[in-house]
Amino acid sequence: MTWNRQKAFSMVELLVVIAVLAVLLGLLLPVFSQVRQRAKGAQCVVKLKHLWTCWDHYRREKQDLLYNGNNAWLYEMADTRSLISGDETVCPAATDQSTGAYFYPNPYSGKIGKVTYWSGPPPKPIGYTVNNWVFYASAEFTSIRTFTKLAATPLFFDGMVYGLATSAWNDLELRVKRFSFRHQGKANVLFLDGHVESLDPDMVKRLNPKPN
């Protein structure tokens, strides 16, 4: 009578298996990373389209008149309840918050004497920048109804500052620095008609920020 014995792994065989697994893991990790980045890019597109819905509500509340004041766009939109939680302004892929641009849902929640303090929910970092040409009133534009290039004019885009003024748009190098190319080297841009495109730095330089 004979007994079948299961042969045990030798140390060399075990090391070979570990080495193969390490190689496979090294090959798969970049793939998983790309999948995560693409997923965040897709979430960003959804958020930008939701932000367009918020802006559409805001511009109807204002009867298509451009804002003539000094508040940042998100506070002006929050005053009309077009923005509520601040989650609308946060890009899922935004990791750098060096500029200190934040959204406080209720910035005047408390006061001691003449000093205003914050006692509300945690502030949300700004992940999107507005094109000042299409949000703030100027000598050239006062109403959205005069805009003609809706599909070619940027409204919001991946960035870490509140707004991009005329001087920054005119300086191409500064313009590129104000965009955040956080989606595999591209920035998501929401246009006035509600569609979103992913643009690289060269494409950003060719953008026309003026709606006419």
Side-chain angles (χ1 to χ4, degrees):
M1 183 176 181
T2 60
W3 297 90
N4 290 327
R5 292 185 177 181
Q6 186 175 6
K7 186 179 179 180
F9 277 107
S10 68
M11 182 60 69
V12 173
E13 290 171 328
L14 183 59
L15 291 175
V16 169
V17 171
I18 293 174
V20 170
L21 291 175
V23 171
L24 291 175
L25 186 61
L27 293 174
L28 292 176
L29 280 177
V31 175
F32 292 149
S33 178
Q34 290 180 5
V35 170
R36 285 196 299 269
Q37 290 177 11
R38 289 174 183 170
K40 288 181 178 180
Q43 291 172 357
C44 174
V45 170
V46 172
K47 281 211 166 188
L48 281 171
K49 290 187 175 183
H50 177 61
L51 191 55
W52 185 90
T53 302
C54 297
W55 172 79
D56 188 54
H57 173 268
Y58 167 79
R59 63 100 184 162
R60 284 186 280 109
E61 287 287 320
K62 294 295 183 177
Q63 298 181 339
D64 288 336
L65 292 177
L66 297 182
Y67 173 56
N68 188 14
N70 298 319
N71 278 341
W73 63 269
L74 58 171
Y75 295 125
E76 171 63 11
M77 287 177 62
D79 285 344
T80 62
R81 304 298 290 172
S82 300
L83 289 178
I84 300 176
S85 67
D87 289 333
E88 304 94 338
T89 68
V90 182
C91 173
T95 57
D96 178 27
Q97 190 51 46
S98 60
T99 62
Y102 287 89
F103 174 53
Y104 293 81
N106 182 11
Y108 306 111
S109 58
K111 206 163 191 178
I112 300 177
K114 294 183 179 180
V115 179
T116 301
Y117 66 91
W118 172 249
S119 62
K124 305 294 177 65
I126 303 305
Y128 301 117
T129 298
V130 73
N131 174 11
N132 285 5
W133 274 111
V134 299
F135 193 86
Y136 294 92
S138 63
E140 193 168 352
F141 303 110
T142 58
S143 173
I144 296 169
R145 295 176 185 175
T146 63
F147 295 171
T148 58
K149 299 179 180 179
L150 302 184
T153 306
L155 174 58
F156 294 105
F157 55 85
D158 279 313
M160 301 304 291
V161 295
Y162 290 116
L164 200 59
T166 306
S167 58
W169 281 111
N170 292 338
D171 185 333
L172 294 183
E173 297 304 322
L174 181 59
R175 177 194 297 197
V176 169
K177 290 180 181 179
R178 291 293 183 264
F179 279 71
S180 292
F181 300 95
R182 56 174 71 110
H183 302 292
Q184 296 179 303
K186 293 185 177 182
N188 285 334
V189 180
L190 172 70
F191 290 82
L192 280 172
D193 68 342
H195 86 279
V196 178
E197 296 182 16
S198 294
L199 306 181
D200 61 30
D202 288 334
M203 298 168 75
V204 165
K205 289 181 179 180
R206 295 195 293 269
L207 279 176
N208 182 3
K210 298 176 67 173
N212 288 349

